[in-house]
Amino acid sequence: MSAEGALMFARYAYPPNALGYCGPAGAEAMLRGDATADIARRARRFEGAWSYLEFLASSAGIPDPLDARVVEAYWVGGDLLAGVSSTALVEFLATRFAGQSGGTWQSATDRALPHHTFQVFEVYPWAGLLATTGHPQALSVLDQCRIRTGVVTAVSGETATVESRPLLAGPAGGLVPGAPHRETVRWSVEGWSLLPGLSAGDRVALHWNWVCDTITADQAARIETLEARYHSSLRTPSA
């Protein structure tokens, strides 16, 4: 088991776990950087994310689904996504997600990727609600559930002010990045964090109300490029 991969998984999976959206109870255990074996056991109970990690690892011939290369490919993007069969992924998910209604993933044999953006925009039902009713909560959930990029402008204790671009409904349908705005997010809870610190000017990845990691310009570009491939396929009632 890769300790590096387990910690990376925890950094990105903790926010929805803490909110009660996925994974087992006791999300605070995900912030124990000295307990990677426990994090690895908990990772297997994130049914959606773990399915993609297993598929990616198997496709690449990597025995450990928590190999850092696999984990980064799922949350951020990476070389392991190249050459993955979309048809094979949909067939795999048809078994793992049997009986799961909503979303457009079952017909995505031409575009499915084992990346978090696909889970957010094609597997979850929120995109469908946005397309059929323009449901404002759907847009908010999509905006927060995706991995989004930003730049830290200030740090105050365990919170940070980050400038990021929210998702908006496009004038011709689909989704577009809005103008940069500032939001307050957390990077630590009661002294527990998987980041050694945070400073103004840091480029970061965000998930819900949490700073997951500091990232490079290349990693930010990968996140934004992979997400953009799904923006135009989403249609709002105004389109």
Side-chain angles (χ1 to χ4, degrees):
M1 184 272 297
S2 165
E4 180 186 358
L7 290 175
M8 183 183 295
F9 179 85
R11 286 197 294 271
Y12 286 87
Y14 168 77
N17 191 203
L19 293 170
Y21 296 150
C22 57
E28 63 277 0
M30 299 290 281
L31 297 180
R32 289 288 305 273
D34 59 347
T36 54
D38 185 40
I39 290 173
R41 285 191 294 270
R42 294 175 60 84
R44 289 165 170 78
R45 298 177 64 186
F46 286 76
E47 296 178 359
W50 189 254
S51 294
Y52 292 103
L53 295 179
E54 284 196 315
F55 179 85
L56 263 169
S58 176
S59 297
I62 297 173
D64 179 13
L66 286 178
D67 183 289
R69 295 167 295 174
V70 175
V71 177
E72 182 174 4
Y74 173 66
W75 292 114
V76 176
D79 294 340
L80 294 187
L81 297 179
V84 169
S85 168
S86 295
T87 298
L89 175 58
V90 171
E91 291 174 350
F92 174 80
L93 296 180
T95 299
R96 287 298 179 91
F97 298 164
Q100 182 168 324
S101 59
T104 55
W105 62 273
Q106 297 182 58
S107 61
T109 54
D110 62 335
R111 61 186 181 276
L113 276 180
H115 187 264
H116 185 64
T117 52
F118 178 72
Q119 175 75 3
V120 171
F121 292 107
E122 300 244 19
V123 177
Y124 290 156
W126 294 102
L129 287 174
L130 180 69
T132 56
T133 67
H135 200 298
Q137 184 183 1
L139 182 57
S140 176
V141 170
L142 291 172
D143 185 38
Q144 293 290 302
C145 188
R146 67 188 174 122
I147 305 301
R148 61 197 189 280
T149 64
V151 175
V152 176
T153 61
V155 179
S156 177
E158 296 188 310
T159 65
T161 301
V162 178
E163 187 171 88
S164 62
R165 300 183 69 182
L167 282 184
L168 301 177
L175 298 173
V176 296
H181 76 149
R182 293 187 174 184
E183 56 180 317
T184 300
V185 293
R186 298 192 68 90
W187 68 275
S188 176
V189 175
E190 297 181 357
W192 290 98
S193 177
L194 294 176
L195 297 179
L198 207 60
S199 302
D202 285 344
R203 182 180 283 106
V204 294
L206 306 159
H207 196 188
W208 292 97
N209 62 340
W210 187 257
V211 177
C212 303
D213 207 354
T214 55
I215 57 175
T216 65
D218 175 69
Q219 288 174 314
R222 277 184 265 158
I223 292 170
E224 293 165 5
T225 298
L226 284 163
E227 180 188 312
R229 66 185 271 135
Y230 296 106
H231 285 175
S232 60
S233 65
L234 299 175
R235 289 288 175 257
T236 61
S238 61

